[in-house]
Amino acid sequence: MTQQATKLVIVTEKLLLKKIVQIIDEVGATGYTVVPAGGKGSRNLPSSGQPTVSSDNFSNIKFEVLTPNRDMAVKISDEVAAQFFDDYSGIAYLCDVMEILHAHSF
Amino acid sequence: MTQQATKLVIVTEKLLLKKIVQIIDEVGATGYTVVPAGGKGSRNLPSSGQPTVSSDNFSNIKFEVLTPNRDMAVKISDEVAAQFFDDYSGIAYLCDVMEILHAHSF
Amino acid sequence: MTQQATKLVIVTEKLLLKKIVQIIDEVGATGYTVVPAGGKGSRNLPSSGQPTVSSDNFSNIKFEVLTPNRDMAVKISDEVAAQFFDDYSGIAYLCDVMEILHAHSF
């Protein structure tokens, strides 16, 4: 089952979790992983009531989505950025995955 | 201490944590990192009592194991998949690590 | 906003969180992500009161710092290792980021 893939990483605010899951589903990725995250950006907009994100509480989330090609990853990222990155802090980037060794139901 | 490495990533169900740690130890990797994870696969088997894994609770775990070469990573992955991926959802993939800069007791 | 970056990953003990954040800020990275982590190294020093780090509680932290170039990543890593890796377990390594797609305030 060896195959290459692109990994899309999105770190953004926790309250967007469900909306981003919906975008991932709609674009057609078959699975994703999400982990709690803290961190710091330089956002100063009071859009979510906090000037910056503290690293002590985990009020961010980090998505990792394996996609079969770059196009699908970019489509998800573009949609997330268009809908949310004017108002919320976030970053989206791509990493190479060398090979998927085994996958069951992901 | 600059050296290259392969990073094995395994995302699977939390209840397998101890058994996977044992496999990692037995194959001979010197350390690993594990983070709580949520996510969605397409698993519909009721093997752990849940139809799919919710992204709101973190009932999955994500392992990252740095190995000195691809062979050790594949050996761990093969063993984990053979023992568990028929019955539990999971994915295993490899990423390149450019260089290990510093390591103390990992 | 397509650009390449280097991702510095540091996994170490949770009690160092604030001090590492300070180093990241001082070296000049504009943001970072931190996630709770467990794991195992081979540390046997009782420096933080525990012989080894359990994978069941998340007493470690994993930093990911995107930097515009390798130099900045190495500078952060060198400083963290010089200050802490004699006394605390930790690992620092670099991964390639293919491209940053979108970034708002990170």
Side-chain angles (χ1 to χ4, degrees), chain A residues 2 7 17-18 21 25 29-36 62 64 66 96-106, chain B residues 11 36-43 55-56 58 60 62 70 77-78 81 85 88-96:
Chain A
T2 302
K7 180 158 81 169
L17 191 148
K18 285 186 184 175
V21 165
D25 281 343
T30 56
Y32 61 87
T33 302
V34 57
V35 304
K62 179 188 168 196
E64 294 183 334
L66 294 192
D96 258 331
V97 168
M98 279 162 56
E99 39 179 330
I100 296 179
L101 296 172
H102 300 280
H104 177 62
S105 305
F106 258 82
Chain B
V11 183
K40 191 203 128 198
S42 53
R43 185 172 64 106
S55 51
D56 284 286
F58 295 104
N60 282 8
K62 179 188 168 195
R70 183 182 174 282
S77 176
D78 283 350
F85 283 8
Y88 301 94
S89 60
I91 188 168
Y93 60 88
L94 300 181
C95 295
D96 259 330

Side-chain angles (χ1 to χ4, degrees), chain A residues 66-83:
Chain A
L66 294 192
T67 59
N69 53 57
R70 184 182 174 280
D71 282 356
M72 185 184 282
V74 170
K75 205 170 168 187
I76 294 168
S77 175
D78 282 350
E79 190 61 31
V80 168
Q83 286 193 30

